[in-house]
Amino acid sequence: MATLVLIPGLVSDGIVWASLADAVAHRMPVHAADISHASSISGMAQSVLAATEGDLIVAGHSMGGRVAMEMARIAPDRVKGLVLANTGHHPKRDGEEIRRQQMIDLGHRSMEDLADEWLPPMLSPARLSDMELVAGLRAMVLRAGPDVHERQIRALIDRPNASAYMAELDCPILLVAARHDGWSPLAQHQEIADAAPDTELVIVEDAGHFAPVERPAEVTAAITGWLTRRFGGADA
């Protein structure tokens, strides 16, 4: 039986995948990955592989999706499936390092200010009025703190170019994109779907970059349905 590994993204933690974890706990082992200590995407991938045993189905959100792809590259014999939500596969873009450094500096000045600037564009406009949702995500960012934020940002700056090996990932891949995700848009997920040999793409309506938290029921249903179709539920 494969273990479902749940990997959060930048300055994120277990609340991102909480709904999915609850939904599958009776069907298969679940491992909530901690990627807050490694200083590179490859290092994060290696640490999660070292913390788990046997066959894995890996679900990654945002930066966590990049870690998931790297795990599949490093250990194709162990990674039997990937769920990639609100993520990307391209290398660093021109001018990106300057913008990222500005966010690092802001985080060291005030994580509260960073959360207030960073979070609203990540959400669907329809979810910005949900004070409970916004407060929960804001508290998550503050829990991470400036040092984890900087370490993860620098890991993203130096990220592997996953587009160079997507065609070699022959495990089943479910791509979860959100209609209002301006950070990881639909076209970006379609590029991944076109590049890898065995993919499905689901689009979540009325959600932004934090789709698993903004629309947990819809995202969880899409993933559990895929698990059942491709792996027979608990057996993978």
Side-chain angles (χ1 to χ4, degrees):
M1 182 184 298
T3 297
L4 180 64
V5 177
L6 304 176
I7 309 179
L10 177 67
V11 292
S12 298
D13 56 31
I15 73 168
V16 171
W17 289 119
S19 177
L20 179 61
D22 289 344
V24 303
H26 70 289
R27 299 168 55 172
M28 62 197 306
V30 177
H31 175 80
D34 180 1
I35 56 170
S36 63
H37 301 289
S39 57
S40 69
I41 299 297
S42 293
M44 294 173 191
Q46 293 280 13
S47 71
V48 179
L49 287 167
T52 55
E53 297 180 352
D55 292 345
L56 307 174
I57 300 170
V58 188
H61 174 255
S62 192
M63 183 185 71
R66 292 184 177 276
V67 177
M69 286 182 274
E70 188 69 359
M71 289 174 64
R73 183 191 69 80
I74 294 170
D77 56 324
R78 292 184 61 196
V79 177
K80 304 303 182 180
L82 292 174
V83 178
L84 306 176
N86 307 101
T87 195
H89 65 314
H90 49 72
K92 181 177 67 176
R93 290 170 169 159
D94 291 342
E96 181 178 334
E97 190 167 358
I98 295 172
R99 297 191 299 275
R100 297 277 195 185
Q101 184 62 52
Q102 291 171 343
M103 296 304 289
I104 289 173
D105 295 342
L106 176 58
H108 281 292
R109 290 196 302 272
S110 169
M111 284 299 290
E112 290 83 358
D113 289 348
L114 182 140
D116 291 341
E117 178 174 328
W118 182 67
L119 278 173
M122 293 287 174
L123 303 177
S124 168
R127 302 315 312 275
L128 289 173
S129 60
D130 186 335
M131 293 298 100
E132 183 177 356
L133 170 71
V134 174
L137 289 172
R138 190 174 189 276
M140 177 189 73
V141 173
L142 299 185
R143 282 195 297 273
D147 293 336
V148 169
H149 176 252
E150 177 174 3
R151 187 156 55 243
Q152 293 183 339
I153 287 286
R154 296 205 182 281
L156 282 168
I157 291 172
D158 295 327
R159 62 186 179 266
N161 178 12
S163 65
Y165 61 75
M166 286 306 303
E168 300 170 13
L169 301 184
D170 60 359
C171 65
I173 299 174
L174 176 67
L175 292 151
V176 180
R179 181 70 67 186
H180 300 136
D181 187 351
W183 190 256
S184 299
L186 300 182
Q188 188 163 281
H189 292 82
Q190 187 62 57
E191 289 176 6
I192 300 174
D194 292 341
D198 186 357
T199 62
E200 296 180 39
L201 172 62
V202 61
I203 299 172
V204 182
E205 302 294 341
D206 300 317
H209 191 67
F210 275 98
V213 185
E214 295 175 71
R215 298 294 176 191
E218 292 87 340
V219 172
T220 296
I223 295 172
T224 54
W226 176 81
L227 287 171
T228 299
R229 289 195 308 275
R230 300 309 304 263
F231 302 101
D235 299 323

